[in-house]
Structures are given as structure tokens and as C-alpha cells.
Coordinates of all heavy atoms in Angstrom, one line a residue:
K16 N 19.1 17.2 31.1 CA 18.1 16.4 31.9 C 17.8 15.2 31.1 O 17.5 15.2 30.0 CB 16.9 17.3 32.1 CG 16.1 17.0 33.3 CD 14.9 18.0 33.4 CE 15.5 19.2 34.2 NZ 14.4 20.1 34.8
N17 N 17.7 14.0 31.8 CA 17.3 12.8 31.1 C 15.8 12.6 31.3 O 15.4 12.2 32.3 CB 18.1 11.6 31.8 CG 17.8 10.4 31.1 OD1 17.0 10.3 30.2 ND2 18.4 9.3 31.4
Y18 N 15.1 12.9 30.2 CA 13.5 12.7 30.3 C 13.2 11.3 30.2 O 11.9 11.1 30.4 CB 13.0 13.6 29.2 CG 13.2 15.0 29.5 CD1 14.1 15.8 28.8 CD2 12.5 15.8 30.4 CE1 14.3 17.1 29.1 CE2 12.6 17.1 30.6 CZ 13.5 17.7 30.0 OH 13.8 19.1 30.2
N19 N 14.1 10.4 30.0 CA 13.7 9.0 30.0 C 13.3 8.4 31.3 O 13.0 7.4 31.5 CB 14.7 8.1 29.2 CG 15.0 8.5 27.8 OD1 14.0 8.7 27.2 ND2 16.2 8.4 27.4
T20 N 13.6 9.2 32.5 CA 13.4 8.8 33.7 C 12.0 9.0 34.1 O 11.5 8.5 35.2 CB 14.2 9.4 34.8 OG1 14.0 10.8 34.7 CG2 15.8 9.2 34.6
Y21 N 11.1 9.7 33.4 CA 9.8 9.8 33.6 C 9.0 8.5 33.2 O 9.3 7.9 32.3 CB 9.2 11.0 32.7 CG 9.8 12.2 33.1 CD1 10.4 13.1 32.0 CD2 10.2 12.7 34.3 CE1 10.9 14.3 32.3 CE2 10.8 13.8 34.7 CZ 11.2 14.7 33.5 OH 11.7 15.8 33.8
N22 N 7.9 8.4 34.0 CA 7.0 7.3 33.8 C 5.9 7.4 32.7 O 5.8 6.7 31.8 CB 6.5 6.8 35.1 CG 5.7 5.5 35.1 OD1 5.8 4.9 34.0 ND2 5.0 5.1 36.1
A23 N 5.1 8.5 33.0 CA 3.9 8.6 32.2 C 4.0 10.0 31.4 O 3.0 10.4 30.8 CB 2.7 8.7 33.1
G24 N 5.2 10.8 31.4 CA 5.2 12.1 30.7 C 4.6 13.0 31.6 O 4.1 12.7 32.6
Y25 N 4.5 14.2 30.9 CA 4.0 15.3 31.7 C 2.4 15.3 31.9 O 1.8 14.9 30.9 CB 4.3 16.7 30.9 CG 5.7 16.9 30.7 CD1 6.3 16.8 29.6 CD2 6.5 17.4 31.8 CE1 7.7 17.2 29.5 CE2 7.7 17.6 31.8 CZ 8.4 17.5 30.6 OH 9.6 17.7 30.5
I26 N 2.0 15.5 33.0 CA 0.5 15.5 33.3 C 0.0 17.0 33.0 O -1.0 17.0 32.4 CB 0.3 15.2 34.8 CG1 0.9 13.9 35.2 CG2 -1.2 15.3 35.2 CD1 0.4 12.8 34.3
F27 N 0.7 18.1 33.3 CA 0.3 19.4 32.8 C 1.5 20.2 33.1 O 2.5 20.0 33.7 CB -0.9 19.9 33.5 CG -0.8 20.1 35.1 CD1 -0.5 21.3 35.6 CD2 -1.2 19.0 35.9 CE1 -0.3 21.3 36.9 CE2 -1.1 19.2 37.3 CZ -0.5 20.5 37.8
G28 N 1.3 21.4 32.5 CA 2.4 22.4 32.5 C 1.9 23.7 32.3 O 0.7 23.9 31.7
Y29 N 2.7 24.7 32.6 CA 2.2 26.2 32.3 C 3.5 26.9 32.0 O 4.4 26.9 32.5 CB 1.4 26.8 33.5 CG 1.0 28.2 33.5 CD1 -0.1 28.4 32.8 CD2 1.8 29.1 33.8 CE1 -0.5 29.7 32.6 CE2 1.5 30.5 33.8 CZ 0.3 30.7 33.1 OH -0.2 32.1 32.9
G30 N 3.2 27.9 30.9 CA 4.2 28.9 30.6 C 5.0 28.6 29.2 O 4.5 27.7 28.5
T31 N 5.8 29.4 28.9 CA 6.7 29.2 27.7 C 7.9 28.3 28.0 O 8.5 28.4 29.0 CB 7.2 30.6 27.3 OG1 6.1 31.5 27.2 CG2 7.9 30.5 26.0
Y32 N 8.2 27.4 26.9 CA 9.2 26.5 27.2 C 10.6 27.2 27.2 O 11.2 27.3 26.1 CB 9.0 25.4 26.1 CG 10.0 24.2 26.2 CD1 9.8 23.2 27.2 CD2 11.1 24.0 25.5 CE1 10.5 22.1 27.4 CE2 12.0 23.0 25.6 CZ 11.7 22.1 26.7 OH 12.5 21.0 26.8
A33 N 10.8 27.7 28.2 CA 12.2 28.5 28.3 C 12.5 28.5 29.9 O 11.5 28.4 30.8 CB 12.1 29.8 27.8
D34 N 13.8 28.7 30.2 CA 14.3 28.8 31.5 C 13.5 29.9 32.2 O 13.3 31.0 31.7 CB 15.8 29.0 31.6 CG 16.6 27.8 31.4 OD1 16.0 26.7 31.3 OD2 17.9 28.0 31.3
N35 N 13.0 29.5 33.6 CA 12.4 30.5 34.4 C 11.0 31.0 33.9 O 10.7 31.9 34.3 CB 13.2 31.7 34.8 CG 14.7 31.2 35.5 OD1 14.5 30.4 36.4 ND2 15.7 31.7 35.0
Q36 N 10.5 30.3 32.9 CA 9.2 30.7 32.3 C 8.3 29.6 32.2 O 7.2 29.9 31.8 CB 9.6 31.4 30.9 CG 10.3 32.6 31.0 CD 10.3 33.2 29.5 OE1 9.6 32.9 28.8 NE2 11.4 33.8 29.3
M37 N 8.5 28.3 32.7 CA 7.5 27.3 32.6 C 7.8 26.4 33.8 O 8.9 26.3 34.4 CB 7.8 26.5 31.4 CG 6.9 25.3 31.2 SD 7.2 24.6 29.6 CE 6.0 23.2 29.7
W38 N 6.8 25.7 34.2 CA 6.9 24.7 35.2 C 5.8 23.5 34.7 O 5.0 23.8 34.0 CB 6.6 25.1 36.5 CG 5.2 25.7 36.9 CD1 4.8 27.0 36.7 CD2 4.1 25.0 37.2 NE1 3.6 27.2 36.9 CE2 3.0 26.0 37.3 CE3 3.7 23.7 37.6 CZ2 1.7 25.7 37.6 CZ3 2.4 23.5 37.9 CH2 1.4 24.4 38.1
S39 N 6.1 22.3 35.1 CA 5.3 21.1 34.8 C 5.3 20.2 35.9 O 6.1 20.2 36.8 CB 5.7 20.6 33.4 OG 7.1 20.1 33.6
V40 N 4.2 19.3 35.9 CA 4.1 18.3 37.0 C 4.3 16.9 36.1 O 3.7 16.7 35.1 CB 2.8 18.4 37.6 CG1 2.5 17.3 38.6 CG2 2.7 19.8 38.3
V41 N 5.0 16.0 36.8 CA 5.3 14.8 36.1 C 5.6 13.7 37.2 O 6.1 13.9 38.2 CB 6.4 14.9 35.2 CG1 7.8 15.1 35.9 CG2 6.6 13.7 34.3
P42 N 5.0 12.5 37.0 CA 5.3 11.3 37.9 C 6.6 10.6 37.4 O 6.9 10.5 36.2 CB 4.2 10.3 37.6 CG 3.8 10.6 36.3 CD 4.0 12.0 36.0
Y43 N 7.5 10.3 38.3 CA 8.8 9.6 38.0 C 8.5 8.2 38.0 O 7.7 7.7 38.6 CB 9.9 10.0 38.8 CG 10.7 11.2 38.2 CD1 10.1 12.3 37.7 CD2 12.1 11.3 38.5 CE1 10.7 13.4 37.3 CE2 12.8 12.5 38.1 CZ 12.0 13.5 37.5 OH 12.7 14.5 37.0
T44 N 9.4 7.3 37.5 CA 9.3 5.9 37.5 C 9.3 5.3 38.9 O 8.6 4.2 39.1 CB 10.4 5.2 36.7 OG1 11.7 5.6 37.2 CG2 10.3 5.5 35.3
D45 N 9.8 6.0 39.9 CA 9.7 5.5 41.2 C 8.3 5.8 41.9 O 8.2 5.5 43.0 CB 10.9 6.0 42.1 CG 10.9 7.5 42.3 OD1 9.9 8.1 41.7 OD2 11.8 8.0 42.9
G46 N 7.5 6.5 41.3 CA 6.1 6.8 41.7 C 6.0 8.2 42.3 O 5.0 8.7 42.5
N47 N 7.3 8.8 42.6 CA 7.2 10.1 43.3 C 6.8 11.1 42.3 O 7.2 11.0 41.0 CB 8.7 10.6 43.8 CG 8.7 9.8 45.2 OD1 8.0 9.2 45.8 ND2 10.1 10.0 45.6
W48 N 6.1 12.1 42.6 CA 5.7 13.2 41.8 C 6.7 14.5 42.0 O 7.1 14.8 43.0 CB 4.3 13.7 42.2 CG 3.3 12.8 41.7 CD1 3.1 11.5 42.2 CD2 2.5 12.8 40.5 NE1 2.1 10.7 41.5 CE2 1.8 11.5 40.4 CE3 2.2 13.8 39.5 CZ2 0.8 11.5 39.5 CZ3 1.3 13.5 38.6 CH2 0.6 12.3 38.6
F49 N 6.9 15.1 40.7 CA 8.0 16.1 40.5 C 7.2 17.3 40.1 O 6.3 17.2 39.1 CB 9.1 15.8 39.8 CG 10.1 14.9 40.4 CD1 9.9 13.6 40.8 CD2 11.4 15.4 40.7 CE1 10.8 12.9 41.6 CE2 12.5 14.7 41.4 CZ 12.1 13.4 41.7
V50 N 7.8 18.5 40.5 CA 7.5 19.7 39.7 C 8.8 20.2 39.1 O 9.7 20.4 39.7 CB 7.0 20.8 40.7 CG1 6.7 22.1 39.9 CG2 5.6 20.4 41.3
N51 N 8.7 20.3 37.8 CA 10.0 20.7 36.9 C 9.9 22.2 36.9 O 9.0 22.8 36.4 CB 10.0 20.0 35.6 CG 10.0 18.5 35.8 OD1 10.7 18.1 36.8 ND2 9.4 17.8 34.9
G52 N 11.0 22.8 37.2 CA 11.0 24.2 37.2 C 11.7 25.0 36.0 O 11.7 26.1 35.9
Y53 N 12.3 24.2 35.1 CA 12.9 24.7 33.8 C 13.9 26.0 34.2 O 13.5 27.1 33.8 CB 11.9 25.2 32.8 CG 11.2 23.9 32.3 CD1 9.9 23.5 32.8 CD2 11.8 23.1 31.3 CE1 9.4 22.4 32.4 CE2 11.2 22.1 30.9 CZ 9.9 21.7 31.3 OH 9.5 20.6 31.0
G54 N 14.9 25.7 34.9 CA 15.9 26.7 35.3 C 15.6 27.3 36.7 O 16.5 27.8 37.4
S55 N 14.5 27.0 37.4 CA 14.2 27.3 38.7 C 14.4 26.2 39.6 O 14.2 26.4 41.0 CB 12.7 27.9 38.7 OG 12.5 29.0 37.9
G56 N 14.7 25.1 39.2 CA 15.0 23.9 40.1 C 13.9 23.0 40.1 O 12.6 23.5 40.3
D57 N 14.1 21.8 40.0 CA 13.0 20.8 40.2 C 12.7 20.6 41.7 O 13.5 20.7 42.6 CB 13.4 19.5 39.5 CG 13.5 19.5 38.1 OD1 13.2 20.6 37.5 OD2 14.1 18.6 37.5
W58 N 11.5 20.1 41.9 CA 11.0 19.7 43.3 C 10.4 18.3 43.4 O 9.5 18.0 42.7 CB 10.0 20.8 43.9 CG 9.3 20.4 45.2 CD1 9.9 20.0 46.2 CD2 8.0 20.4 45.5 NE1 9.1 19.8 47.2 CE2 7.8 20.1 46.8 CE3 7.0 20.8 44.7 CZ2 6.6 20.0 47.4 CZ3 5.7 20.7 45.3 CH2 5.5 20.2 46.6
N59 N 11.1 17.5 44.1 CA 10.6 16.2 44.4 C 9.6 16.2 45.6 O 10.2 16.4 46.7 CB 11.8 15.1 44.6 CG 11.2 13.8 45.0 OD1 10.1 13.5 45.2 ND2 12.2 12.9 45.1
T60 N 8.5 15.9 45.3 CA 7.3 16.1 46.4 C 7.7 15.1 47.5 O 7.2 15.4 48.6 CB 6.1 15.9 46.0 OG1 5.9 14.6 45.5 CG2 5.6 16.8 44.9
G61 N 8.4 13.9 47.2 CA 8.6 12.9 48.3 C 7.4 12.1 48.4 O 7.3 11.2 49.3
V62 N 6.4 12.3 47.5 CA 5.2 11.6 47.8 C 4.9 10.6 46.5 O 4.9 11.0 45.4 CB 3.9 12.6 47.7 CG1 2.6 11.8 47.9 CG2 4.1 13.5 49.1
A63 N 4.8 9.3 46.7 CA 4.3 8.4 45.7 C 3.0 8.2 45.6 O 2.3 8.1 46.7 CB 5.1 7.1 46.0
V64 N 2.4 8.2 44.5 CA 0.9 7.9 44.2 C 0.8 6.7 43.4 O 1.5 6.5 42.3 CB 0.3 9.1 43.6 CG1 -1.2 8.9 43.3 CG2 0.6 10.4 44.3
S65 N 0.2 5.7 43.9 CA -0.1 4.5 43.3 C -0.9 4.6 41.9 O -1.7 5.4 41.8 CB -0.9 3.5 44.1 OG -1.1 2.3 43.4
F66 N -0.3 4.0 40.8 CA -1.0 4.2 39.5 C -2.1 3.2 39.4 O -2.8 3.3 38.2 CB 0.1 3.8 38.3 CG 1.1 5.1 38.3 CD1 2.4 4.9 38.7 CD2 0.8 6.3 37.7 CE1 3.3 6.0 38.6 CE2 1.7 7.3 37.7 CZ 2.8 7.2 38.2
D67 N -2.3 2.3 40.3 CA -3.4 1.4 40.1 C -4.7 1.6 40.8 O -5.6 0.7 40.9 CB -2.9 -0.1 40.4 CG -2.5 -0.3 41.8 OD1 -2.3 0.8 42.4 OD2 -2.0 -1.4 42.3
V68 N -4.8 2.8 41.4 CA -6.0 3.2 42.0 C -6.3 4.7 41.7 O -5.3 5.4 41.3 CB -6.0 3.1 43.7 CG1 -5.7 1.6 44.1 CG2 -4.8 4.0 44.1
W69 N -7.5 5.1 41.8 CA -7.9 6.5 41.3 C -7.5 7.4 42.6 O -7.7 7.0 43.8 CB -9.5 6.7 41.1 CG -9.9 6.1 39.8 CD1 -10.4 4.9 39.6 CD2 -9.8 6.8 38.7 NE1 -10.7 4.8 38.2 CE2 -10.3 6.1 37.7 CE3 -9.4 8.1 38.4 CZ2 -10.4 6.4 36.3 CZ3 -9.4 8.5 37.0 CH2 -9.9 7.7 35.9
S70 N -6.8 8.4 42.3 CA -6.5 9.4 43.3 C -6.8 10.8 42.6 O -6.6 10.9 41.4 CB -4.9 9.3 43.6 OG -4.7 8.1 44.2
H71 N -7.1 11.7 43.4 CA -7.3 13.1 43.1 C -6.0 13.8 43.7 O -5.8 14.0 44.8 CB -8.4 13.7 43.8 CG -8.8 15.0 43.4 ND1 -9.0 16.0 44.4 CD2 -9.0 15.7 42.2 CE1 -9.3 17.2 43.6 NE2 -9.4 16.9 42.4
I72 N -5.3 14.5 42.6 CA -4.1 15.2 42.9 C -4.3 16.6 42.5 O -4.9 16.8 41.4 CB -2.9 14.7 42.3 CG1 -3.0 14.6 40.8 CG2 -2.6 13.2 42.8 CD1 -1.6 14.3 40.1
V73 N -3.8 17.6 43.3 CA -4.0 19.0 43.0 C -2.6 19.6 43.4 O -2.1 19.2 44.4 CB -5.0 19.6 43.8 CG1 -5.0 21.1 43.7 CG2 -6.4 19.0 43.4
F74 N -2.1 20.4 42.6 CA -0.9 21.3 42.8 C -1.5 22.7 42.9 O -2.2 23.2 42.0 CB 0.1 21.2 41.8 CG 1.0 19.9 42.0 CD1 0.5 18.8 41.4 CD2 2.1 19.8 42.7 CE1 1.2 17.5 41.6 CE2 2.9 18.6 42.8 CZ 2.3 17.5 42.3
T75 N -1.1 23.5 43.9 CA -1.4 25.0 43.8 C -0.1 25.9 44.0 O 1.0 25.4 44.3 CB -2.3 25.5 44.9 OG1 -1.6 25.2 46.2 CG2 -3.7 24.6 44.9
Y76 N -0.1 26.9 43.4 CA 1.0 27.9 43.5 C 0.5 29.3 43.6 O -0.3 29.7 42.9 CB 1.9 27.8 42.1 CG 3.1 28.6 42.2 CD1 4.1 28.5 43.1 CD2 3.1 29.6 41.2 CE1 5.1 29.4 43.1 CE2 4.4 30.5 41.1 CZ 5.4 30.3 42.1 OH 6.4 31.1 42.1
D77 N 0.9 30.0 44.7 CA 0.5 31.3 45.0 C 1.5 32.4 44.7 O 1.4 33.6 45.1 CB 0.0 31.4 46.5 CG 1.2 31.2 47.4 OD1 2.3 31.1 47.0 OD2 1.0 31.2 48.7
G78 N 2.6 32.0 44.0 CA 3.6 33.0 43.6 C 4.9 32.7 44.6 O 5.9 33.2 44.1
S79 N 4.8 32.1 45.5 CA 5.9 31.6 46.4 C 5.8 30.3 46.9 O 7.1 29.9 47.3 CB 6.0 32.8 47.6 OG 4.8 32.5 48.5
T80 N 4.7 29.7 47.1 CA 4.7 28.4 47.7 C 4.0 27.4 46.7 O 2.8 27.8 46.3 CB 4.0 28.4 49.0 OG1 4.7 29.2 49.9 CG2 4.0 27.0 49.7
V81 N 4.5 26.2 46.5 CA 3.8 25.1 45.8 C 3.3 24.2 46.9 O 4.1 23.8 47.7 CB 4.8 24.4 44.8 CG1 4.0 23.4 44.0 CG2 5.5 25.5 43.9
K82 N 2.1 23.8 46.7 CA 1.4 22.8 47.6 C 1.0 21.7 46.8 O 0.4 21.9 45.7 CB 0.4 23.4 48.5 CG 0.8 24.6 49.4 CD -0.3 25.1 50.1 CE 0.2 26.3 51.0 NZ -1.0 27.0 51.7
F83 N 1.2 20.5 47.4 CA 0.7 19.2 46.7 C -0.4 18.7 47.6 O -0.2 18.4 48.7 CB 1.9 18.3 46.5 CG 1.5 17.0 45.9 CD1 0.5 16.9 44.9 CD2 2.3 15.8 46.2 CE1 0.2 15.6 44.4 CE2 1.9 14.5 45.6 CZ 0.9 14.5 44.7
Y84 N -1.7 18.4 47.1 CA -2.7 17.8 47.7 C -3.0 16.4 47.1 O -2.9 16.3 45.9 CB -4.0 18.6 47.7 CG -3.8 19.9 48.4 CD1 -3.2 21.1 47.6 CD2 -4.4 20.1 49.6 CE1 -3.2 22.3 48.3 CE2 -4.3 21.3 50.2 CZ -3.7 22.5 49.5 OH -3.5 23.6 50.2
L85 N -3.3 15.4 48.0 CA -3.6 14.0 47.5 C -5.0 13.7 48.2 O -5.0 13.6 49.5 CB -2.6 13.0 47.9 CG -2.8 11.6 47.6 CD1 -3.0 11.5 46.0 CD2 -1.7 10.7 48.1
N86 N -5.9 13.5 47.4 CA -7.2 13.2 48.0 C -7.8 14.2 48.9 O -8.3 13.9 50.0 CB -7.4 11.8 48.5 CG -6.9 10.7 47.4 OD1 -7.4 10.9 46.2 ND2 -6.3 9.7 47.7
G87 N -7.6 15.4 48.6 CA -8.0 16.5 49.6 C -7.1 16.9 50.7 O -7.5 17.8 51.4
I88 N -6.0 16.2 50.9 CA -5.1 16.5 52.1 C -3.8 17.1 51.6 O -3.2 16.4 50.7 CB -5.0 15.2 53.0 CG1 -6.3 14.8 53.5 CG2 -3.9 15.5 54.1 CD1 -6.2 13.3 54.0
Q89 N -3.4 18.1 52.1 CA -2.0 18.7 51.8 C -0.9 17.7 52.3 O -0.9 17.4 53.5 CB -1.8 20.0 52.3 CG -0.5 20.5 51.9 CD -0.1 21.9 52.5 OE1 -1.0 22.7 52.7 NE2 1.1 22.1 52.7
V90 N -0.2 17.1 51.4 CA 1.0 16.2 51.7 C 2.3 16.6 51.6 O 3.2 16.0 52.1 CB 0.6 14.8 51.0 CG1 -0.7 14.1 51.5 CG2 0.6 15.1 49.5
S91 N 2.6 17.8 51.0 CA 3.9 18.4 50.8 C 3.7 19.8 50.2 O 2.8 20.2 49.7 CB 4.4 17.5 49.6 OG 5.9 17.9 49.7
S92 N 4.8 20.5 50.6 CA 4.8 21.9 50.2 C 6.3 22.3 50.1 O 7.2 21.7 50.8 CB 4.1 22.8 51.0 OG 4.5 22.9 52.2
T93 N 6.7 23.3 49.3 CA 7.8 24.1 49.3 C 7.8 25.5 48.8 O 6.9 25.9 48.1 CB 8.9 23.2 48.4 OG1 10.2 23.7 48.5 CG2 8.4 23.4 46.8
T94 N 8.8 26.2 49.1 CA 8.8 27.6 48.6 C 9.6 27.6 47.4 O 10.8 27.2 47.2 CB 9.6 28.6 49.7 OG1 8.9 28.5 50.9 CG2 9.6 29.9 49.3
K95 N 9.0 28.2 46.2 CA 9.7 28.2 44.9 C 9.3 29.6 44.3 O 8.3 30.1 44.5 CB 9.2 27.1 44.0 CG 9.8 25.8 44.4 CD 11.3 25.8 43.9 CE 11.7 24.3 44.1 NZ 13.1 24.3 43.7
T96 N 10.3 30.0 43.4 CA 9.9 31.1 42.5 C 10.1 30.6 41.1 O 11.0 30.2 40.7 CB 10.9 32.3 42.7 OG1 10.9 32.7 44.1 CG2 10.7 33.5 41.9
Y97 N 8.9 30.6 40.4 CA 8.9 30.2 39.0 C 8.6 31.3 38.1 O 8.0 32.3 38.5 CB 7.8 29.1 38.7 CG 8.1 27.8 39.4 CD1 7.2 27.4 40.6 CD2 9.1 27.0 39.1 CE1 7.6 26.2 41.3 CE2 9.5 25.8 39.7 CZ 8.6 25.4 40.8 OH 8.9 24.2 41.4

């Protein structure tokens, strides 16, 4: 994986740094937000968030579905096993 494609580095992550044991959230240089799955597959939310305005972003995970909220509105989701 080429980590030089990230714009601002990891925003947050959870778990042990090993395959299928960690996930993290990161903005890419194109502005889209990704969830990195470390062996479980990455997820491009397809949602770009401007870096020059304040935004409230939230990711939730219930054990099967990852949801992405922007300013209180769900804007993307996917089924994942992390």
C-alpha cells in the first residue's frame, strides 16, 4: 500500500496493527474519505469533505455495517467485517 497518497494522515483508528485486527479512517489527497481495513479491504466512501470549512464527521460500525455521517446526515454506508 502506498501511504504517500494520504493527505492528512490517519484521523483515528482502532485495534492492533495487524491484518483483520485494525481499521482506521483517513482522507485521501482527492478529498474522499476512506476506511482502511488492514486485510479486510479498504472502503472509499465516495464522499469528499472540504478541508477549508468546519465539518462534523462521524463513522459508526455495528459489527456488520459501516456508516459515514457528514454534518448529522448519513451520506454513505457499506457492509464490512473488520
Side-chain angles (χ1 to χ4, degrees):
K16 209 176 268 196
N17 181 358
Y18 292 101
N19 292 328
T20 60
Y21 300 133
N22 187 11
Y25 296 108
I26 301 303
F27 63 86
Y29 178 80
T31 302
Y32 189 75
D34 280 355
N35 300 316
Q36 295 183 24
M37 182 179 175
W38 60 273
S39 62
V40 174
V41 63
Y43 274 36
T44 55
D45 64 2
N47 283 351
W48 287 72
F49 280 69
V50 175
N51 296 324
Y53 295 97
S55 299
D57 295 345
W58 170 47
N59 178 349
T60 65
V62 176
V64 178
S65 177
F66 290 107
D67 60 352
V68 296
W69 281 99
S70 297
H71 182 232
I72 62 168
V73 173
F74 285 86
T75 65
Y76 179 62
D77 65 6
S79 62
T80 303
V81 183
K82 296 178 182 177
F83 178 33
Y84 296 84
L85 176 61
N86 296 320
I88 299 170
Q89 183 183 330
V90 292
S91 190
S92 67
T93 190
T94 301
K95 285 285 188 184
T96 302
Y97 292 113

